[in-house]
Amino acid sequence: RRFIRALFTASPHSHRYKQSVTLPSLAAGIASLYYWYYYTHTHVNTNSLILRASCSDKSHSLRNSMNFLADVCDKVIPSVVYIESTGSGRGMLHQLESGGSGFIIHTNGLVITNAHVTAGAHSVTVRLHDNRLVKGRVVAIDQLKDLALIQLNVTSPLPALKLVSTEDLRAGEMVLALGSPLRLTNTITSGIVSQASRRSDELGLKGEMSYIQTDAAIISGNSGGPLVNLDGEVIGINTLTAGPGVSFAIPSDYAIKMIQKMTTVKRTHKSNYYVGVQMLSLTPQLVHSLMQRASDSYPDDA
């Protein structure tokens, strides 16, 4: 300040000007100019650099570039459903409740799951990803392959997954298993394909089938859910586990053949109607059960 004041108030030929322009005054003036330049230019530029750096870091962060599994989950989860079914056990008094997973394979509401998830029921209740509860009808079942198809009663299209062949599946490929273990919906586990084709006789199971072995966790309630590759395509239907790190899925090829067969039968088969009759011994317990089910129509003198 002294330097600037002297510069503008004193005459260049005066003795006062010569005394004012001393080394301390010159240093103070230079410091003032430097501070003014730094505050008005460098400070603003620093903020803009920080802003640009934060935008750049967001677009090139490891979280956004390496979380490819999360991208697969976003694609698959809306098609995974939870299935509740009640089937008849022996006689007419025992009811079996079952729960498991499934996934939508057609926008019209066609769902595939394990046969054991349906518990022999003809109709089931299905919880969609958005928590809507819809009724479903079992339209096809293959006990040997442990597969079942369910048609949901819906009026609007639903997100569906694509079934692909496993002919080129290799051991070591990364996979995701989705389902509702222990009724915990939208649970995801990851792993690799341990063996692309494990024969059923190696597992002590009857029938000529092969299974996809994976170390992705598949536990109770996960049955019927999809096993997908990194493209979000279904390569298998979760079905059983032999222990930690040893789980199995039914290859999607079996499901594809089942759907093709069902479509062919629908086109060529003429509907036939039958009346089913089951002989039962009339016991006091059975009479009591019938009275409770049809109290209005049951005769009073029975």
Side-chain angles (χ1 to χ4, degrees):
R1 291 178 180 177
R2 292 174 57 192
F3 170 75
I4 295 173
R5 187 184 303 113
L7 186 63
F8 289 97
T9 58
S11 172
H13 303 287
S14 65
H15 178 70
R16 181 182 177 185
Y17 172 76
K18 294 179 181 180
Q19 290 181 342
S20 299
V21 185
T22 59
L23 185 59
S25 300
L26 182 62
I30 294 174
S32 300
L33 290 174
Y34 177 80
Y35 177 78
W36 170 80
Y37 178 83
Y38 175 81
Y39 184 79
T40 57
H41 292 79
T42 309
H43 184 68
V44 175
N45 291 339
T46 301
N47 287 339
S48 61
L49 288 174
I50 293 175
L51 180 60
R52 289 197 299 269
S54 63
C55 297
S56 177
D57 290 344
K58 185 176 180 180
S59 60
H60 296 89
S61 68
L62 290 177
R63 180 188 177 195
N64 291 328
S65 60
M66 299 299 292
N67 273 337
F68 50 89
L69 294 181
D71 296 333
V72 179
C73 294
D74 291 341
K75 180 180 179 180
V76 175
I77 284 178
S79 301
V80 181
V81 300
Y82 179 71
I83 302 171
E84 294 180 350
S85 59
T86 303
S88 298
R90 185 177 179 181
M92 298 177 62
L93 300 177
H94 188 52
Q95 296 291 319
L96 298 176
E97 293 186 359
S98 177
S101 306
F103 55 96
I104 304 167
I105 57 175
H106 197 284
T107 56
N108 66 356
L110 187 63
V111 171
I112 192 166
T113 184
N114 288 143
H116 70 262
V117 171
T118 63
H122 296 291
S123 61
V124 296
T125 301
V126 176
R127 184 181 296 276
L128 302 180
H129 173 63
D130 57 7
N131 284 326
R132 280 187 296 162
L133 291 176
V134 297
K135 292 294 183 181
R137 179 172 52 90
V138 180
V139 295
I141 191 166
D142 188 334
Q143 296 288 358
L144 182 60
K145 301 294 191 297
D146 194 20
L147 292 174
L149 293 173
I150 300 171
Q151 180 62 57
L152 301 183
N153 184 20
V154 293
T155 56
S156 57
L158 297 176
L161 297 179
K162 180 182 179 181
L163 293 165
V164 295
S165 175
T166 60
E167 291 182 357
D168 59 348
L169 185 65
R170 299 177 299 166
E173 287 193 36
M174 295 188 67
V175 291
L176 293 176
L178 296 91
S180 305
L182 306 176
R183 296 177 179 259
L184 301 174
T185 57
N186 301 324
T187 297
I188 305 157
T189 58
S190 64
I192 63 169
V193 174
S194 304
Q195 176 58 259
S197 181
R198 181 72 68 189
R199 297 194 314 272
S200 56
D201 58 350
E202 297 181 73
L203 306 177
L205 301 175
K206 296 180 180 180
E208 297 181 359
M209 280 190 64
S210 62
Y211 295 87
I212 301 172
Q213 181 180 336
T214 176
D215 63 351
I218 299 175
I219 61 176
S220 178
N222 240 357
S223 296
L227 185 72
V228 302
N229 58 24
L230 294 185
D231 292 327
E233 301 168 329
V234 180
I235 60 172
I237 298 91
N238 305 330
T239 186
L240 58 92
T241 182
V246 184
S247 300
F248 300 93
I250 301 170
S252 56
D253 304 81
Y254 293 108
I256 294 173
K257 292 178 181 178
M258 181 180 182
I259 297 169
Q260 292 173 344
K261 182 179 179 180
M262 185 190 74
T263 305
T264 303
V265 170
K266 277 188 173 182
R267 291 175 180 174
T268 61
H269 181 66
K270 182 179 179 180
S271 299
N272 295 313
Y273 299 93
Y274 302 92
V275 176
V277 178
Q278 181 179 7
M279 301 300 294
L280 294 173
S281 299
L282 195 60
T283 62
Q285 293 82 3
L286 181 57
V287 171
H288 180 70
S289 176
L290 292 173
M291 291 179 65
Q292 287 184 332
R293 294 186 183 184
S295 58
D296 297 336
S297 58
Y298 202 83
D300 297 332
D301 55 349

